Amino acid sequence: VQMENALRQALERREFVLYYQPQVDIGSGRIVGMEALIRWQHPEMGMVAPGRFIPLAEETGMILPMGAWVLRSACQQLRTWQSEGHRNLRVAVNVSARQMAEQGFVGSVADVLVEAGLDPTCLELELTESLVMNDVEHAIVVMRQLKKLGVKLAIDDFGTGYSSLAHLKRFTVDVLKIDQAFVRDLTVDPDDAAIVTTIIALAANLNLQVISEGVETLEQLSFLRAHGCSQMQGYYFSRPVPASAFGAVLDEND
Ligand code: G
Ligand code: G
Ligand code: MN
Ligand code: NA
């Protein structure tokens, strides 16, 4: 209850902020999108990482109003960047299991898009495998409804969860995000290299886009590019940064 109150208060006091991390197309060298990542700017503790409050937000249900705030803020922010002349960008937003399970989630996404004036194809929702596997049949229904809206769907942390290939076939997703755990030792661990090249091939064969996260070095970038992964995200390009700083990055990109 204490934590729930703390999170509720933080929301009311507007202590949450979104950071943005670029997603880069290696072929063109251009930023094609950004992932929105929540931070808690605590008055005493300073910047609190999501790992320290997202699990609690999920347990308490506070993730519902927080998730709604994230979605609205991210969509409005992208619309602002678009109106400043930055074209062909998408924003990726993390969705938690509790949000997905909530009645009316799809409707709330539709409302946010209308309110922000954002083209649905510019919004990408990141769903983790464990989220989807939590209740496969319900997740499939919701994914189909979201696809109808026109939003893009990505499987986050791909390869770390329990989704089978049989399920993947039924998921109406557009993008697989290769988990950073496989990318980290890619250039030294043959198993990780095999896993990553297999995911890239799988995505290509299923006509899905693939993006690698956690790219930190030129060696990792080169390996991924050589094996056909053209979209990347990671510290090599940029850490997640506040919206104001990201705007400056976009100005340079154009
Ligand atoms: O930003 P960072 O790498 O510290 O994020 C840590 C974890 O928190 C990641 O698993 C990320 O998906 C999750 N996370 C970040 N922002 C959000 C958000 O807005 N909603 C949800 N549900 N998870 C988020
Ligand atoms: O679970 P999810 O993929 O949403 O989490 C993304 C997390 O990974 C964020 O917390 C983000 O800060 C972090 N991250 C992004 N790029 C890198 C990177 O290059 N290296 C590492 N170690 N973490 C990263
Ligand atoms: Mn993510
Ligand atoms: Na991830």
Side-chain angles (χ1 to χ4, degrees):
V1 177
Q2 213 177 334
M3 190 61 190
E4 187 178 335
N5 285 337
L7 291 170
R8 193 181 309 281
Q9 228 172 46
L11 199 56
E12 283 162 5
R13 293 178 182 170
R14 300 165 190 270
E15 291 171 2
F16 293 115
V17 288
L18 289 183
Y19 274 39
Y20 295 89
Q21 187 178 38
Q23 300 181 325
V24 177
D25 177 76
I26 289 301
S28 63
R30 297 179 60 81
I31 295 173
V32 291
M34 71 293 294
E35 179 175 2
L37 294 154
I38 196 171
R39 301 285 182 264
W40 184 358
Q41 176 70 71
H42 194 281
E44 282 116 44
M45 292 190 284
M47 203 59 87
V48 185
R52 291 180 55 198
F53 63 87
I54 288 283
L56 293 156
E58 281 171 346
E59 276 172 44
T60 58
M62 275 303 292
I63 195 69
L64 295 177
M66 287 165 62
W69 174 81
V70 169
L71 190 63
R72 195 176 339 110
S73 304
C75 288
Q76 287 174 350
Q77 181 62 67
L78 178 55
R79 189 68 193 93
T80 298
W81 282 325
Q82 287 180 342
S83 67
E84 289 168 2
H86 303 294
R87 308 271 163 222
N88 302 319
L89 294 172
R90 60 167 190 248
V91 66
V93 173
N94 292 283
V95 173
S96 89
R98 288 286 283 263
Q99 287 175 276
M100 209 44 194
E102 189 194 23
Q103 279 289 328
F105 174 64
V106 177
S108 71
V109 173
D111 290 347
V112 163
L113 289 167
V114 170
E115 188 195 329
L118 191 69
D119 184 319
T121 59
C122 298
L123 174 63
E124 185 170 293
L125 298 177
E126 294 195 3
L127 318 172
T128 62
E129 279 179 85
S130 50
L131 173 165
V132 171
M133 296 309 293
N134 203 25
D135 183 347
V136 180
E137 295 310 319
H138 184 252
I140 288 172
V141 169
V142 175
M143 284 191 277
R144 293 207 170 132
Q145 293 172 343
L146 289 168
K147 281 313 297 173
K148 259 194 174 165
L149 265 188
V151 305
K152 303 277 179 234
L153 301 177
I155 299 282
D156 200 2
D157 307 334
F158 187 76
T160 61
Y162 299 96
S163 67
S164 72
L165 298 180
H167 285 126
L168 190 57
K169 212 180 102 178
R170 300 177 62 207
F171 297 163
T172 49
V173 299
D174 305 278
V175 182
L176 300 182
K177 274 194 100 172
I178 302 176
D179 193 77
Q180 57 189 53
F182 302 122
V183 175
R184 192 174 307 126
D185 299 322
L186 186 63
T187 53
V188 289
D189 185 331
D191 291 339
D192 286 336
I195 290 168
V196 166
T197 52
T198 301
I199 295 174
I200 295 168
L202 176 69
N205 290 330
L206 290 174
N207 268 318
L208 302 175
Q209 288 183 279
V210 65
I211 178 165
S212 292
E213 60 178 23
V215 178
E216 295 185 353
T217 69
L218 181 59
E219 289 71 26
Q220 291 165 342
L221 181 159
S222 303
F223 180 99
L224 290 161
R225 180 174 47 194
H227 288 86
C229 176
S230 58
Q231 297 203 0
M232 304 182 198
Q233 179 182 341
Y235 295 169
Y236 179 80
F237 309 98
S238 170
R239 288 183 173 262
V241 295
S244 53
F246 198 88
V249 173
L250 285 177
D251 288 336
E252 260 172 59
N253 186 57
D254 287 339

